[in-house]
Amino acid sequence: MLKAVVAAGPKYAPPGYNKIRTTLLDKVKKHVKEKLQPFFEKNKRSGCTVTSDGWSDARNRPILNIMVCARGEAVFYKSVDMSSVLNKTGEEIAQVIIAAIEELGADDIVAVITDSAANCKVCWALDALLPT
């Protein structure tokens, strides 16, 4: 890392805040999506497991992470800020998980794992909301 900084030289000007949060972020997001495409393609036939885990960030905001697992591999799919949700009940968590399943393609998902039995029970009850 230090070698890269030295190689850039003293005239290097880092990108500004707006460029980082817009065009560069979009470029990196597209690159990561392209890199993950083979993972999803090879697991279409055997299916994937969606896992969720709730936690709080450094500012004590509730975050729900969604991961996808298949054949001994796991990839981070997305993180959802749950601070706008008034009651962090199983129903709200289930709605986030169901939205992720719909984005991924319900036909490719074979299981859902949550971080608590209560959330798992609610997700099980809401499976009727999944597309058939």
Side-chain angles (χ1 to χ4, degrees):
M1 173 77 174
L2 187 56
K3 288 180 182 178
V5 171
V6 171
K11 293 184 180 180
Y12 173 74
Y17 173 75
N18 283 331
K19 186 171 184 179
I20 289 172
R21 70 183 192 97
T22 57
T23 55
L24 287 178
L25 183 60
D26 291 340
K27 186 177 177 180
V28 169
K29 189 175 178 181
K30 181 181 176 189
H31 176 74
V32 169
K33 190 173 183 176
E34 289 170 0
K35 289 287 190 182
L36 289 177
Q37 196 59 38
F39 169 84
F40 291 109
E41 288 298 322
K42 79 177 181 181
N43 291 308
K44 275 191 179 234
R45 188 174 301 151
S46 62
C48 298
T49 298
V50 171
T51 64
S52 70
D53 182 41
W55 61 285
S56 295
D57 68 4
R59 294 182 182 165
N60 208 27
R61 292 177 295 197
I63 306 291
L64 183 66
N65 285 341
I66 305 291
M67 290 77 59
V68 181
C69 307
R71 297 184 186 190
E73 295 179 297
V75 296
F76 172 81
Y77 181 65
K78 73 181 194 175
S79 186
V80 179
D81 180 359
M82 300 290 286
S83 58
S84 64
V85 178
L86 297 176
N87 300 316
K88 278 79 175 171
T89 62
E91 287 85 7
E92 284 83 9
I93 293 169
Q95 293 299 334
V96 172
I97 294 171
I98 289 170
I101 290 170
E102 290 172 345
E103 291 168 13
L104 291 163
D107 292 339
D108 300 333
I109 307 302
V110 296
V112 175
I113 299 172
T114 64
D115 61 349
S116 75
N119 292 342
C120 189
K121 187 176 179 181
V122 172
C123 285
W124 185 265
L126 294 178
D127 75 339
L129 298 176
L130 287 172
T132 55

